[in-house]
Amino acid sequence: DIQMTQSPSSVSASVGDRVTITCRASQGISSWLAWYQQKPGKAPKLLIYAASSLQSGVPSRFSGSGSGTDFTLTISSLQPEDFATYYCQQANSFPPGFGGGTKVEIK
Amino acid sequence: EVQLVESGGGLVQPGGSLRLSCAASGFTFSSYWMSWVRQAPGKGLEWVANIKQDGSEKYYVDSVKGRFTISRDNAKNSLYLQMNSLRAEDTAVYYCARDPSQSSGPRLEFDYWGQGTLVTVSS
């Protein structure tokens, strides 16, 4: 199975900050990488698919990049509604595994 | 509007069984691969199983193979997860999720999710 490792596990940031989250796959997955946002008590929400494609309705301050084994999710200017946990997920092969999550907290 | 509504969760003893249901609306259910994804309390996400549009292909994570069965009824726009021989480690919120693929192969991404149903395995 492909292992997904996210860093950091948590980050404290202020409104307006630029936040970058990293995800590494244990083997190459081309661009088969998705990012999700999850708020407490809610279902995950798809933000980015195919490593860099923005899901419909997602604000443009979210962007994704990378290919192969190393990927990043960037929030260009953090908004109050962005405080949440973010997960990466490989969509290259079975089983589709998730990273451990990165909690974005208010500084 | 796409809606996925899970039901059937609850408290069950170790070794017991439970059947989860997911009612879909707002899209052509029979055109999409569907999955179950779970989340243990305070933990991350784990994909459990998926099923092809016509039910002819099903895949499972190793930890549930032989114990869980995914199925669907396209006439009822419903997805199911039959869970047998339940263990404490199966305790989680179970989400029904849509794979955006309408082709013969899944994309293994999840663009719509239900609100989840909690399964607690405990004596």
Side-chain angles (χ1 to χ4, degrees):
Chain A
D1 296 0
I2 298 174
Q3 305 304 314
M4 306 301 294
T5 303
Q6 284 182 239
S7 60
S9 57
S10 66
V11 57
S12 295
S14 301
V15 172
D17 284 354
R18 182 182 184 90
V19 173
T20 298
I21 299 168
T22 296
C23 178
R24 174 164 289 176
S26 60
Q27 62 190 74
I29 59 170
S30 186
S31 295
W32 299 109
L33 192 284
W35 290 97
Y36 301 86
Q37 175 194 66
Q38 187 178 34
K39 296 181 180 180
K42 301 295 186 182
K45 173 186 176 183
L46 178 64
L47 300 176
I48 302 282
Y49 63 94
S52 60
S53 296
L54 197 66
Q55 175 70 355
S56 176
V58 174
S60 59
R61 62 181 180 272
F62 291 93
S63 64
S65 65
S67 66
T69 60
D70 295 312
F71 302 86
T72 59
L73 173 70
T74 300
I75 308 172
S76 60
S77 178
L78 199 65
Q79 298 302 299
E81 60 268 31
D82 300 338
F83 292 97
T85 299
Y86 294 84
Y87 293 93
C88 64
Q89 177 240 320
Q90 68 86 7
N92 181 77
S93 60
F94 284 104
F98 294 84
T102 296
K103 187 173 184 179
V104 178
E105 300 175 299
I106 302 172
K107 181 183 280 186
Chain B
E1 178 193 6
V2 172
Q3 282 199 319
L4 298 168
V5 180
E6 301 94 336
S7 60
L11 175 64
V12 61
Q13 292 188 338
S17 298
L18 213 54
R19 189 196 196 206
L20 306 183
S21 299
C22 171
S25 60
F27 66 102
T28 305
F29 179 72
S30 59
S31 295
Y32 291 85
W33 282 79
M34 296 294 297
S35 278
W36 288 98
V37 179
R38 67 183 178 183
Q39 186 170 35
K43 302 297 184 182
L45 299 163
E46 180 183 39
W47 173 83
V48 174
N50 71 350
I51 185 168
K52 194 176 180 178
Q53 293 92 333
D54 61 359
S56 62
E57 294 181 35
K58 306 174 184 182
Y59 299 92
Y60 301 89
V61 69
D62 282 350
S63 59
V64 309
K65 281 180 183 175
R67 301 189 299 122
F68 290 13
T69 302
I70 189 171
S71 62
R72 64 192 296 164
D73 185 335
N74 288 339
K76 295 183 177 180
N77 290 336
S78 293
L79 178 72
Y80 305 101
L81 187 67
Q82 177 67 45
M83 303 185 296
N84 298 331
S85 303
L86 282 160
R87 307 167 180 167
E89 54 265 35
D90 296 318
T91 294
V93 173
Y94 284 73
Y95 295 102
C96 164
R98 191 183 84 167
D99 185 308
S101 173
Q102 297 186 67
S103 66
S104 59
R107 275 177 48 182
L108 299 180
E109 297 156 349
F110 313 107
D111 62 350
Y112 288 94
W113 299 63
Q115 85 289 349
T117 187
L118 176 62
V119 172
T120 303
V121 184
S122 175
S123 55

